[in-house]
Amino acid sequence: SLIAKCEKKILYDKFFYAELKNHGESYQKTMLCLKKNIPWDLVNTIIDLVNPGIVYKITPKAVENILSKNISKVLKRFLEKFVSTALLYFDQIKDTVLLASLIQIVGFQNLF
């Protein structure tokens, strides 16, 4: 978009509070007027910026925490754990196939 997010917030705040003042400080009348006269997606954008929800408040902090850590270290650790776990499962499958092959060669009845 052409307008920065902080500028949009200021603009939509001014717009919303002007509408609120125009409708006698009635939130319900203001919302009804907005929903009747402007597109729904714009109303939702205005409401999200004027009265942000919990997800909107938490998401930037969570993303900032993730990005503040060294991603290469986190990714390297994840890949190391993934590869070691995959090798353990591969080894288990290999041993199971080997055992099944030996049982088939010897015969199940001859084991006992």
Side-chain angles (χ1 to χ4, degrees):
S1 77
L2 298 174
I3 302 173
K5 193 170 189 172
C6 60
E7 292 173 349
K8 271 187 186 179
K9 178 167 178 26
I10 293 168
L11 180 67
Y12 288 152
D13 278 344
K14 287 181 181 179
F15 174 75
F16 181 79
Y17 288 114
E19 282 293 319
L20 192 63
K21 187 176 179 182
N22 188 32
H23 292 286
E25 303 295 326
S26 172
Y27 186 79
Q28 290 83 9
K29 288 181 183 178
T30 304
M31 290 302 297
L32 184 62
C33 177
L34 290 176
K35 289 182 179 181
K36 281 184 177 179
N37 296 315
I38 57 177
W40 281 89
D41 58 338
L42 186 57
V43 173
N44 289 333
T45 304
I46 292 170
I47 297 306
D48 286 344
L49 289 174
V50 172
N51 296 322
I54 187 86
V55 173
Y56 184 82
K57 291 177 182 176
I58 291 176
T59 302
K61 292 177 185 174
V63 169
E64 183 179 311
N65 287 340
I66 290 170
L67 292 178
S68 67
K69 296 178 182 175
N70 192 349
I71 291 182
S72 63
K73 287 183 182 178
V74 173
L75 186 60
K76 183 179 177 184
R77 185 169 181 210
F78 171 76
L79 287 175
E80 286 174 355
K81 287 188 177 233
F82 177 77
V83 168
S84 65
T85 305
L87 288 175
L88 288 173
Y89 278 109
F90 180 72
D91 190 45
Q92 180 68 34
I93 292 169
K94 182 184 66 148
D95 291 344
T96 304
V97 169
L98 180 63
L99 180 64
S101 299
L102 289 173
I103 290 174
Q104 185 179 13
I105 291 171
V106 173
F108 188 74
Q109 295 172 349
N110 293 336
L111 290 177
F112 302 107

